[in-house]
Amino acid sequence: TVAEQSTSIPLPGVNVFIKGTTTGTTTDFDGNYQIKVNTGDIIVFSYVGYKAQEKQYTGQTSLNILLGEDTAQLEEIVIIGYGSVKKEDLTGSVDVVSSKDFNKGTVVSADQLLNGKAPGVRITSAGGQPDAKPNIRIRGGASLSANSNPLIVIDGIAVDNSNPAGVNNPLTLVNPNDIESFSILKDASATAIYGSRASNGVIIITTKKGTSGEVKFNFSSNISTSTVSDKIDLFDGNQFVDFITTTYPGETDLLGVPVGSVSTNEAVSQIINGREIYNTDWQDAIFRTSMSSDYNFSARANLFEKIPFRASIGYNSTEGIVKTNDYERITASLKFTPKFFEDHLKIDLNAKSIFVDKNNIDNDGALGSAVSFDPTKPVFDNNSPFGGFYTNLSDQGNIDGASNPLALLLQRSRPEKVSKILGNIEFDYKMHFLPELRAVVNLGLEASRAEIVETFTDNALATYQSTDSGDFVFNPGVNYRENQHITNTTLESYLVYRKEFDNFFINNFDIQGGYSYQNFKNDGNKEQYRYADDTGLRIRDIKNDDAYFNELNLQSFFGRSNINLFNKYLVTVSFRADGSSLFRKDKRWGYFPAAALAWKLKEESFLRDVDFVNDIKIRVGWGETGQQDITDIAGFYPSTPLFEAGSSTSQYLSGVAIYNAKPFNDDLTWEKTTTYNLGIDFDFFNSNVFSGSFDIFKRETTDLLVRAPVGPGQGLTNVFPKNVGETESEGFELNLNLNAIRKDNVNFSINGNIAYNKTEIVSLKDVTVIDSPDSGIPTGTGVNLAFNVVGLEAHSAWVFKQIYDLDGRPILGAFVDLNDDGIIDNDDRYYTPLRPNWTFGFGFNFNYKNWDLSSSFRGQLDGKMYNARRLSRGYTEAALPNNTQNLNNTLNFFSDAADPNFTNRRGNIPFSDYFIEDASFLRCENIVLGYTFNQLFKNTNLKLYAAVNNAFLITNYSGQDPENFNAIDDNFYPRPRVYSFGVNLDF
Amino acid sequence: CTDDLNTEPKVELSLDELLAQDPNAVEGIVSRLYASFALSGVQGPDKSDISDNAGESPFLRGIINLQDFTADGMKNRWGDDGLDQLTTTSDWDENNKFFRYLFNRVYFTIPQCNNLLAVANNISIENKESVIAEVRFLRALAYYYLIDTFGKGVLATEENFGDSAPLPEASRAELFAFVEAELIEVEAALPATNSYGRASKAAGQMLLAKLYMNAEVYVGTSRYDDALVLINKVIDEGGYSLAPDFVSLFSADNETSTEIIFPLIADADTSQSFGNTTYIVNGSLSTETMVLADFGANDGWTGHRATKAWYGLYGDLGTSTDDRASLFWTTGHNFEMADYREWKDGYPSIKFRNTNFNGSPIITAFSGTDFPLFRLADTYLMYAECTLRGASGGAINTALQYVNAVRTRSNASTIMQSELTLDFLIDERGRELNLEGHRRSDLIRFGMFTGSSYIWPWKGNVVGGTSIPDSYKLFPIPLAALQANPNLTQNPGF
């Protein structure tokens, strides 16, 4: 019998073989085995995750073995595309982040577990919302206009790139507590097997499995409270009075409200010229100290002693720190991993279901108004027709100036409900007649239903309308409705032939070939409403995108072979043919080869006996991958000439329904990325004391899918995706782990990573500059800050060089005449890249007896941020009424929040590099202190912990937060600081 | 299974599917071609056909910006990135987004027209000949603005539609010849009368007449004789008559006008755009000094004011009998425009409004006033101009009669034949037609736009006005266009 060392539970599936032969067997479910041996043979017992044992046969009739867990080895099986491989046999650049490395504390979505943990993986959340959209870039991303997010594979199913309606973060749709590990595939030799969707890397998420032993339960819970970590430094009411009376004395009459005109409990701080001055902090009015909780229960068992099984349920309720931004999620998961026919057939069945209900708020409206609303006005007014919220009206009865931000939040509800299931069943059959040959079939289904209803309450500010007769009415009610069905199906099947040899130069090899089919269908309808001038009612606003139906089909044929020569040289070659429905039939197929070579130096005679080197391996990889996902910018039928109907507000000739010919480009084809990677993995001193990896890479993308200008008159619009560019990236990643102390009672380990990545645009064909999307700055309309310029990094700001006076203060509107022609014009602007090249993360774990303390940090060493808050609220005239009778708050000119030299922002002022600041930072992601009660009861372990997430931030950036994907800081939803307390009970 | 790669849309339709589904489909496509001059797109006023901002970029807004704000009579105070340079007629460069907007709109309309013309012979269309003539008229109209503003481009037609190699540059003369030939060819097929908003024969004649009127500027040969022939046809055969009241032409119910030869339609409910007359009406209003409801608007953008170069043409506004002199908002405003950025400097024009001329008041977010792109008063003044410029067949008596008809309609005093000079006419065109998208072309034709012979407030970015170089007779070709087609070259001086 073979059993587990600490529990004596029998271990099924243990490999038992005679050393130096292929003769072997495996243990059955009771851990029993039979093998024919000769005296003197050495029997090897090996099992994944356990230390292998060797016993010499000396004529025993039974040989009982206890295998001990090998924590070092547990992580050494690496899940890669269509299979797994031992870490020591890995040829590509793959990072594994497993549960013990995860970020701890309060974690709502999977990306938060990973952030800062893997070198070259930059995860930038869109802000502090519970389901903030993460921008994930592996090695900076290879594409320019096409989707640059990595492919995410959950339990073998490559999930959809587009999210269900109402879901900002697809990684909230898997319960973080169910996740066992992430594999991050970075270079092409690793990703090529995923071909069509892998140009930007692959993140493989593997969820926890059932046990082979006795039933185990886990209950965990976490209660947290979140606060705003940093508010924007604005004038308070009294400072604002000082500012206006000294700077714009003519406007003093607009401060506060006439005495007795409002009815509120709020305190009047002073009275000036018959006007009551309130002291309102509008940020406090919309922010809250929020409470959140998370509960998870899971059971692991071996059903009927045959079917390893895990089930979990989870409930999460997270309150955003902006009022009414509530998020609730229920998750359930089931996993069965039985084996049949003496382990010839392995089945892996996964089902996950998720239900999310959140109230989506008007972020920009609420955050923007909270900053600009005059602080001398009260929040409430019982006399107000707007449901008791103070609102400034013009003489003509129009809402004047900013809307009361608290009213914006409380008078609108927008529940966004999503139910989703993600399930798959994988059959892995080892042929009875030919055990070296396996056939694998994986069927997957990803389906979601989303429902959104946006409603305004009675007397809502947003529904206040003037009528033909000059009166005003409210027209509350439903404003928007959407129902959406997403149904994605996957079929993958492949054959693997694996053969091991003795005393042959090929130690072992495998070869596999297969087919993959993926279909993504997104079907829904919207109802949009508007105020009808002629009837005064809220009516359907028929738009041409009210009903939508988008289908994407991807099919591939792929093959891969791994060859192990002399157990020293590992060779991997793969090839993939990918077809995408986005392209015309004859442009549809792309062919993507890859190859990699690894050299296990440790196996060489000159290192074999060097004790302090446990392992050292050099990897070289090359490969091509493809990119086709331009659905965000060109829809799902970008190569086909099609017509669309017009919206009800965009008709023209009377009595005729308008139709528009949509732009298309039937020349579109695959974008291709070639990656070269050189890497080294090492493990020094006994038992992983010091280990790590270093990778250096170069990447070239050609036939770049770029949203590029169309020759004038030669297309049905002026800008459309074309295959017209090239980018080149290079960089490196270093990952280090040090187990500094490893004693019975004390453990101390440190891990750290740093990565550099620089991607330059080599060519855009005829064009040298195109707009970079999402780079609008809040001045006028359609004003872009950043561009994609040949010869530079993507998303570079185009700015003037600010001139400063002798005191170092900026001189308004004075710029350096860079070309010395005596005129300041666009020729004096220069480009400066915004996104960081250097990112890093580090952390430590410390255990002393039952105590554990851990912390993780991450940050960037460079990168820039355009402080758009300074542009929009950091000039003194921003306080003045703009076509209104209403003052606006500004940044606090009395502190250093803004420079009063900035009286206006006319002309070229918005393009001053004064607004561009260094965005390097160090963030303490979490600090966790825990205590574990071992064997509280029989087989019951209890862990208690306290944690702070987003504990502190060190940066020179003068605004709220330097971490922002578009590098333009405006109306940012602050990332909260979260204090939590949790329990984890294993029984 | 690989057949599944041929995914089929269900909401969008191929041309065949569309034609099978809606018998009026071609009319719907033609409607969109007309709409391309007024709307930002077909998905509501916030969505754009082109990559440029939906609010700022519509065709008509570009015409107003480039023809009126660069000229003497109108200024805007917003100063948005590039608008200052436009409104002060200074520091023009290839990066100015306002030049790009019009260029991109021209080259949106043209290929959309070509797209239909390329298949028109293969599909069944009711009144095919006249529909094709209308589409060719619309394409010619777009080219007309290209010839007038940028002076060159590429010649994209249904013949080369779909070619991906960059088209060769087409000179002003080549584009002129193309538009001339097109308009001559379609004249016969355009219907004498057409449903509202669609091009009639007179619209085609009017466009060709305008091309000929400016031929000396465009190609260096005067064609006033040819212009007059067409003008006579419009006047004699078009069936239009002057509206009895000037203000009715610029009110929300102006679709009933007898004078408008070719309008660009706006509707407060069904044809919403930030770039049709909404731009003119709301842009000229401000709660700072005006009551929005009086003009049927609920939003004032505090943007446009006229200058004394316009309202100075009427003499003393307070005593003038000219109805057109009353269409400035003077209360709270300064006669002089000391700072074009100051709302109160200069008088807002209240020529365009969103109230009905007849009937009950309305207040809507978007303007429902149609824009009179071509109207008979213009034709009358064109007649007089051709005659004064010596066009054969022009009668000075008739010219005087036409000019006085225009003036009398607005209760302005009649003039004597001796007063009817070119100098008088350019002023009369200003009095009658300012803010209708003609002014810059008129000033160039009269040799008054560049140089120092005529200055106006803020010309050349100087409060009193200063000389600007002759290169300003054309706009710079936008950088984006130069990059998108390397065959295009920049205009001299930029």
Side-chain angles (χ1 to χ4, degrees):
Chain A
T1 322
V2 181
E4 212 271 323
Q5 192 172 36
S6 57
T7 59
S8 298
I9 294 167
L11 281 174
V14 175
N15 284 310
V16 182
F17 61 96
I18 298 163
K19 197 170 183 180
T21 72
T22 53
T23 312
T25 181
T26 54
T27 56
D28 65 14
F29 280 102
D30 300 319
N32 296 324
Y33 68 96
Q34 285 190 325
I35 190 166
K36 279 190 177 172
V37 288
N38 298 316
T39 305
D41 282 349
I42 292 171
I43 310 173
V44 180
F45 301 86
S46 74
Y47 188 59
V48 170
Y50 290 80
K51 284 176 187 149
Q53 285 197 32
E54 295 181 2
K55 285 273 170 188
Q56 189 161 31
Y57 179 69
T58 52
Q60 303 95 322
T61 49
S62 71
L63 194 53
N64 292 332
I65 299 292
L66 291 174
L67 288 181
E69 274 195 47
D70 182 348
T71 44
Q73 203 202 321
L74 252 185
E75 61 188 296
E76 305 237 327
I77 291 295
V78 177
I79 309 290
I80 56 170
Y82 307 112
S84 62
V85 64
K86 277 190 271 182
K87 189 167 185 194
E88 58 172 34
D89 290 344
L90 201 59
T91 57
S93 177
V94 180
D95 287 326
V96 177
V97 179
S98 56
S99 47
K100 72 176 177 49
D101 306 317
F102 288 167
N103 284 317
K104 296 177 178 68
T106 301
V107 166
V108 183
S109 65
D111 50 293
Q112 293 168 345
L113 296 170
L114 189 60
N115 206 348
K117 295 298 184 184
V121 181
R122 179 177 177 234
I123 302 177
T124 315
S125 68
Q129 302 92 327
D131 70 333
K133 176 183 179 202
N135 266 292
I136 306 177
R137 290 292 180 272
I138 295 178
R139 294 181 165 177
S143 302
L144 207 57
S145 303
N147 184 347
S148 283
N149 280 319
L151 172 67
I152 292 170
V153 179
I154 301 177
D155 288 330
I157 297 300
V159 300
D160 198 347
N161 281 334
S162 46
N163 302 332
V167 173
N168 294 324
N169 181 357
L171 290 170
T172 55
L173 297 183
V174 48
N175 185 343
N177 291 287
D178 288 336
I179 296 175
E180 171 102 6
S181 72
F182 297 90
S183 281
I184 297 147
L185 278 48
K186 295 196 287 200
D187 73 337
S189 71
T191 61
I193 194 69
Y194 280 113
S196 61
R197 296 172 65 198
S199 268
N200 293 296
V202 182
I203 297 180
I204 301 176
I205 298 176
T206 308
T207 60
K208 291 171 181 164
K209 284 189 175 63
T211 81
S212 45
E214 68 184 61
V215 183
K216 288 179 177 171
F217 298 100
N218 174 274
F219 171 76
S220 67
S221 172
N222 178 302
I223 308 288
S224 63
T225 175
S226 303
T227 57
V228 184
S229 51
D230 191 12
K231 286 193 298 184
I232 294 170
D233 186 7
L234 302 165
F235 282 130
D236 71 21
N238 294 323
Q239 289 169 326
F240 193 63
V241 169
D242 289 349
F243 170 71
I244 292 296
T245 49
T246 55
T247 315
Y248 299 111
E251 311 289 345
T252 310
D253 284 351
L254 298 178
L255 289 164
V257 296
V259 170
S261 66
V262 300
S263 156
T264 176
N265 295 329
E266 294 156 88
V268 174
S269 72
Q270 52 180 310
I271 292 178
I272 300 175
N273 299 341
R275 295 180 70 91
E276 295 171 341
I277 305 296
Y278 290 85
N279 190 2
T280 301
D281 185 327
W282 288 98
Q283 294 186 88
D284 285 349
I286 63 160
F287 289 135
R288 63 184 171 187
T289 297
S290 66
M291 295 297 298
S292 303
S293 57
D294 188 60
Y295 305 93
N296 291 283
F297 178 74
S298 68
R300 297 200 289 168
N302 194 3
L303 294 179
F304 318 113
E305 297 191 339
K306 275 186 173 22
I307 306 175
F309 158 82
R310 181 178 185 272
S312 74
I313 50 170
Y315 170 77
N316 181 289
S317 162
T318 299
E319 291 181 347
I321 51 170
V322 174
K323 286 174 183 167
T324 75
N325 185 200
D326 299 328
Y327 177 88
E328 222 179 359
R329 176 180 66 198
I330 299 166
T331 58
S333 77
L334 280 176
K335 186 170 193 132
F336 299 90
T337 48
K339 298 175 184 176
F340 300 101
F341 314 124
E342 295 171 330
D343 294 354
H344 271 270
L345 176 64
K346 291 195 274 187
I347 294 179
D348 192 340
L349 173 67
N350 289 288
K352 300 176 192 63
S353 70
I354 301 101
F355 174 74
V356 176
D357 184 358
K358 80 164 177 211
N359 186 40
N360 194 1
I361 60 164
D362 173 10
N363 252 358
D364 285 358
L367 292 165
S369 296
V371 171
S372 63
F373 212 99
D374 177 353
T376 66
K377 302 284 198 279
V379 180
F380 301 103
D381 174 10
N382 294 326
N383 300 333
S384 156
F386 302 98
F389 291 102
Y390 173 78
T391 302
N392 203 39
L393 292 179
S394 71
D395 297 343
Q396 296 169 29
N398 287 301
I399 294 173
D400 205 42
S403 292
N404 186 320
L406 186 61
L408 288 183
L409 292 171
L410 295 174
Q411 293 180 339
R412 190 186 88 152
S413 69
R414 187 178 162 111
E416 300 186 338
K417 297 179 184 175
V418 178
S419 336
K420 172 163 172 163
I421 54 167
L422 176 64
N424 74 304
I425 182 162
E426 183 181 272
F427 301 91
D428 182 337
Y429 175 64
K430 186 163 67 180
M431 305 290 168
H432 275 91
F433 56 92
L434 184 62
E436 290 90 357
L437 184 66
R438 286 161 53 221
V440 180
V441 176
N442 188 4
L443 300 165
L445 173 71
E446 182 186 14
S448 64
R449 303 285 177 265
E451 190 186 323
I452 297 174
V453 183
E454 181 181 296
T455 315
F456 289 111
T457 62
D458 291 348
N459 301 316
L461 274 167
T463 72
Y464 182 67
Q465 299 282 353
S466 58
T467 66
D468 278 2
S469 51
D471 292 341
F472 290 87
V473 294
F474 291 99
N475 63 106
V478 174
N479 190 51
Y480 182 85
R481 222 192 280 274
E482 182 171 358
N483 284 293
Q484 182 205 47
H485 289 189
I486 291 181
T487 313
N488 302 332
T489 49
T490 306
L491 160 72
E492 275 164 347
S493 64
Y494 55 95
L495 287 170
V496 194
Y497 181 82
R498 182 183 164 88
K499 180 96 182 138
E500 308 206 356
F501 299 92
D502 288 316
N503 307 320
F504 188 53
F505 77 98
I506 295 178
N507 197 289
N508 63 64
F509 81 93
D510 63 58
I511 182 160
Q512 70 187 89
Y515 165 74
S516 154
Y517 173 98
Q518 290 179 88
N519 197 66
F520 305 89
K521 200 164 73 181
N522 181 342
D523 194 354
N525 61 74
K526 302 175 189 172
E527 286 175 19
Q528 305 173 67
Y529 292 82
R530 66 183 168 93
Y531 172 75
D533 281 324
D534 45 359
T535 59
L537 298 173
R538 186 166 287 275
I539 58 161
R540 258 303 279 286
D541 185 5
I542 310 277
K543 304 255 183 174
N544 59 350
D545 61 347
D546 280 348
Y548 54 89
F549 174 87
N550 296 319
E551 191 169 17
L552 171 67
N553 192 277
L554 297 171
Q555 299 186 33
S556 317
F557 299 91
F558 56 86
R560 178 171 62 192
S561 179
N562 292 300
I563 304 162
N564 182 339
L565 303 168
F566 306 110
N567 200 28
K568 285 181 199 166
Y569 313 109
L570 305 166
V571 181
T572 302
V573 288
S574 63
F575 183 79
R576 182 159 168 139
D578 282 296
S580 167
S581 64
L582 295 183
F583 305 137
R584 203 176 70 187
K585 214 166 189 173
D586 56 330
K587 305 255 182 191
R588 179 173 287 168
W589 289 92
Y591 304 96
F592 306 105
L597 182 67
W599 178 22
K600 292 160 87 170
L601 254 69
K602 174 64 184 172
E603 302 298 326
E604 295 289 349
S605 52
F606 56 85
L607 275 181
R608 198 171 294 162
D609 299 323
V610 179
D611 279 348
F612 77 90
V613 178
N614 282 339
D615 195 10
I616 187 161
K617 184 173 68 178
I618 294 174
R619 295 175 272 107
V620 186
W622 161 86
E624 288 184 359
T625 49
Q627 167 69 283
Q628 48 84 44
D629 186 2
I630 47 168
T631 54
D632 273 0
I633 52 171
F636 287 77
Y637 310 99
S639 311
T640 319
L642 293 169
F643 286 82
E644 62 184 345
S647 305
S648 59
T649 55
S650 294
Q651 301 295 317
Y652 194 77
L653 296 176
S654 178
V656 178
I658 202 163
Y659 296 109
N660 176 51
K662 295 186 73 172
F664 66 97
N665 176 2
D666 64 0
D667 283 335
L668 288 172
T669 188
W670 289 88
E671 172 180 308
K672 288 192 171 69
T673 299
T674 308
T675 309
Y676 306 88
N677 196 87
L678 176 64
I680 181 165
D681 299 328
F682 54 87
D683 179 0
F684 294 149
F685 310 110
N686 207 10
S687 316
N688 297 314
V689 168
F690 183 61
S691 62
S693 63
F694 180 78
D695 278 84
I696 181 162
F697 69 91
K698 184 179 163 80
R699 188 174 59 198
E700 294 159 0
T701 302
T702 56
D703 287 340
L704 204 63
L705 284 163
V706 178
R707 207 169 156 268
V710 175
Q714 297 186 266
L716 295 171
T717 184
N718 65 321
V719 174
F720 201 76
K722 293 200 276 187
N723 294 93
V724 288
E726 278 177 51
T727 59
E728 207 172 278
S729 315
E730 47 196 32
F732 72 85
E733 289 132 15
L734 176 66
N735 196 8
L736 296 174
N737 299 292
L738 175 68
N739 285 304
I741 304 172
R742 202 144 54 168
K743 302 226 166 90
D744 280 351
N745 276 337
V746 189
N747 276 294
F748 182 60
S749 65
I750 309 173
N751 59 74
N753 67 73
I754 186 163
Y756 171 83
N757 160 68
K758 187 173 182 182
T759 301
E760 262 182 25
I761 299 167
V762 175
S763 152
L764 293 170
K765 214 170 172 187
D766 304 320
V767 186
T768 55
V769 181
I770 58 170
D771 289 350
S772 180
D774 304 320
S775 74
I777 50 175
T779 171
T781 44
V783 180
N784 268 2
L785 174 74
F787 296 84
N788 293 325
V789 187
V790 172
L792 300 174
E793 292 175 63
H795 201 63
S796 291
W798 193 35
V799 286
F800 291 98
K801 202 165 197 59
Q802 178 67 46
I803 297 178
Y804 296 84
D805 66 14
L806 291 173
D807 301 330
R809 292 178 63 198
I811 302 170
L812 187 67
F815 303 118
V816 177
D817 183 9
L818 286 180
N819 66 353
D820 262 337
D821 65 352
I823 314 165
I824 300 297
D825 58 14
N826 280 327
D827 297 336
D828 296 302
R829 291 167 80 172
Y830 71 100
Y831 290 99
T832 181
L834 295 172
R835 294 194 173 128
N837 301 120
W838 291 89
T839 53
F840 66 91
F842 62 90
F844 70 83
N845 286 294
F846 178 72
N847 291 293
Y848 175 70
K849 291 186 177 164
N850 292 350
W851 289 94
D852 62 86
L853 176 67
S854 68
S855 185
S856 38
F857 302 81
R858 66 189 170 78
Q860 60 195 39
L861 295 177
D862 58 355
K864 304 227 165 86
M865 177 71 84
Y866 182 93
N867 191 339
R869 275 282 181 225
R870 278 200 170 162
L871 174 72
S872 59
R873 305 254 53 92
Y875 63 100
T876 55
E877 285 179 11
L880 297 179
N882 181 15
N883 198 18
T884 64
Q885 295 298 308
N886 214 13
L887 295 169
N888 303 297
N889 205 357
T890 60
L891 298 183
N892 188 346
F893 293 105
F894 297 166
S895 69
D896 279 341
D899 192 316
N901 274 6
F902 277 80
T903 54
N904 68 72
R905 55 169 185 183
R906 290 180 192 162
N908 287 323
I909 291 170
F911 306 110
S912 167
D913 64 3
Y914 168 76
F915 295 109
I916 297 204
E917 300 183 34
D918 175 24
S920 51
F921 71 89
L922 168 68
R923 188 189 298 279
C924 177
E925 189 73 17
N926 57 63
I927 305 172
V928 185
L929 177 66
Y931 187 86
T932 307
F933 299 91
N934 283 321
Q935 302 294 325
L936 194 62
F937 309 104
K938 185 176 180 288
N939 292 334
T940 301
N941 295 335
L942 172 69
K943 179 175 174 176
L944 302 176
Y945 66 90
V948 192
N949 288 67
N950 190 18
F952 58 84
L953 173 70
I954 299 172
T955 180
N956 285 328
Y957 177 61
S958 70
Q960 239 172 339
D961 195 318
E963 193 180 1
N964 182 323
F965 187 70
N966 291 329
I968 294 171
D969 181 16
D970 188 32
N971 289 343
F972 182 75
Y973 191 125
R975 295 188 174 91
R977 178 157 304 140
V978 187
Y979 301 90
S980 60
F981 176 77
V983 294
N984 188 14
L985 188 65
D986 284 305
F987 55 100
Chain B
C1 229
T2 53
D3 283 351
D4 285 1
L5 286 165
N6 303 319
T7 53
E8 295 266 345
K10 285 186 180 164
V11 177
E12 301 90 346
L13 301 170
S14 70
L15 180 60
D16 291 340
E17 289 164 339
L18 180 64
L19 294 171
Q21 181 187 298
D22 184 348
N24 296 323
V26 173
E27 237 185 323
I29 299 169
V30 171
S31 177
R32 121 45 89 245
L33 301 177
Y34 278 99
S36 72
F37 289 90
L39 305 182
S40 58
V42 297
Q43 306 178 39
D46 298 320
K47 297 281 176 61
S48 180
D49 288 323
I50 56 176
S51 63
D52 296 313
N53 182 276
E56 279 188 342
S57 72
F59 208 128
L60 176 54
R61 188 164 172 160
I63 293 172
I64 296 299
N65 281 339
L66 268 56
Q67 296 284 13
D68 285 291
F69 291 115
T70 59
D72 53 350
M74 288 295 303
K75 296 291 140 207
N76 176 285
R77 58 169 287 278
W78 298 325
D80 300 16
D81 186 34
L83 200 53
D84 272 342
Q85 291 89 324
L86 200 84
T87 210
T88 59
T89 335
S90 64
D91 295 329
W92 290 358
D93 70 39
E94 60 195 10
N95 285 306
N96 195 310
K97 63 182 181 180
F98 293 93
F99 305 150
R100 186 181 74 223
Y101 293 161
L102 189 75
F103 193 92
N104 285 346
R105 286 291 168 180
V106 165
Y107 278 118
F108 175 78
T109 299
I110 288 168
Q112 285 281 341
C113 292
N114 290 337
N115 187 46
L116 179 58
L117 293 172
V119 296
N121 286 326
N122 307 327
I123 55 177
S124 99
I125 305 175
E126 209 178 329
N127 303 322
K128 185 182 271 190
E129 207 190 350
S130 96
V131 166
I132 290 176
E134 280 179 78
V135 175
R136 290 169 72 183
F137 162 80
L138 291 171
R139 182 174 64 178
L141 182 63
Y143 272 122
Y144 169 78
Y145 283 106
L146 183 76
I147 293 167
D148 188 74
T149 52
F150 296 98
K152 60 180 170 183
V154 296
L155 186 59
T157 66
E158 70 273 30
E159 303 293 329
N160 57 30
F161 184 69
D163 288 3
S164 55
L167 295 174
E169 182 172 279
S171 68
R172 210 175 198 182
E174 288 168 294
L175 295 170
F176 184 101
F178 175 77
V179 171
E180 181 188 12
E182 284 286 293
L183 290 172
I184 290 170
E185 275 190 44
V186 302
E187 192 184 347
L190 282 172
T193 58
N194 208 337
S195 56
Y196 187 73
R198 300 181 67 158
S200 63
K201 202 181 291 289
Q205 289 160 343
M206 197 56 188
L207 178 57
L208 186 53
K210 285 196 162 286
L211 190 75
Y212 286 144
M213 293 271 304
N214 293 294
E216 201 161 350
V217 175
Y218 297 159
V219 293
T221 323
S222 73
R223 302 285 295 273
Y224 298 107
D225 295 358
D226 296 322
L228 194 64
V229 172
L230 293 157
I231 289 165
N232 276 323
K233 286 188 189 171
V234 173
I235 294 172
D236 299 338
E237 301 163 16
Y240 301 96
S241 59
L242 289 185
D245 197 297
F246 187 73
V247 173
S248 71
L249 281 163
F250 310 99
S251 298
D253 48 358
N254 61 351
E255 69 275 6
T256 59
S257 173
T258 56
E259 180 175 335
I260 298 174
I261 299 168
F262 184 65
L264 295 179
I265 295 174
D267 186 281
D269 205 43
T270 57
S271 298
Q272 299 183 345
S273 171
F274 293 102
N276 56 17
T277 51
T278 305
Y279 178 58
I280 306 175
V281 174
N282 290 10
S284 299
L285 296 175
S286 172
T287 54
E288 278 186 43
T289 50
M290 307 156 88
V291 177
L292 307 185
D294 293 351
F295 303 97
N298 62 17
D299 202 8
W301 302 346
T302 320
H304 324 320
R305 280 122 323 116
T307 71
K308 65 179 179 184
W310 181 4
Y311 45 77
L313 297 173
Y314 302 98
D316 183 350
L317 293 184
T319 57
S320 174
T321 59
D322 193 334
D323 290 346
R324 301 170 301 185
S326 64
L327 301 178
F328 299 94
W329 188 265
T330 57
T331 312
H333 284 261
N334 303 317
F335 181 87
E336 293 288 339
M337 190 175 273
D339 183 352
Y340 68 92
R341 294 173 177 281
E342 280 298 322
W343 170 247
K344 291 176 181 174
D345 282 0
Y347 300 153
S349 162
I350 50 173
K351 181 175 175 178
F352 284 88
R353 67 271 314 277
N354 186 35
T355 44
N356 284 327
F357 186 72
N358 300 301
S360 55
I362 48 165
I363 297 173
T364 53
F366 286 90
S367 164
T369 305
D370 299 340
F371 184 82
L373 191 69
F374 299 150
R375 62 185 174 95
L376 189 63
D378 187 12
T379 325
Y380 281 174
L381 296 178
M382 286 160 69
Y383 180 97
E385 186 181 335
C386 286
T387 305
L388 286 175
R389 292 183 189 277
S392 65
I396 196 73
N397 287 340
T398 314
L400 182 68
Q401 186 194 323
Y402 286 157
V403 170
N404 277 330
V406 169
R407 290 181 58 80
T408 312
R409 181 257 301 272
S410 292
N411 296 314
S413 57
T414 56
I415 60 161
M416 320 268 273
Q417 189 177 318
S418 59
E419 293 173 86
L420 184 58
T421 63
L422 284 173
D423 286 349
F424 175 87
L425 257 187
I426 185 66
D427 288 350
E428 189 62 27
R429 286 189 67 81
R431 281 184 286 265
E432 178 70 16
L433 294 165
N434 263 356
L435 203 44
E436 292 180 53
H438 305 297
R439 192 60 177 169
R440 172 188 146 278
S441 308
D442 287 351
L443 291 178
I444 292 173
R445 190 171 66 250
F446 281 79
M448 297 163 72
F449 188 69
T450 56
S452 56
S453 64
Y454 174 56
I455 55 170
W456 58 81
W458 291 103
K459 180 181 181 181
N461 201 18
V462 170
V463 60
T466 189
S467 175
I468 56 171
D470 274 351
S471 55
Y472 276 52
K473 286 181 183 172
L474 289 173
F475 295 98
I477 306 284
L479 181 64
L482 294 173
Q483 294 200 325
N485 184 341
N487 295 333
L488 285 173
T489 55
Q490 187 50 277
N491 279 322
F494 297 109

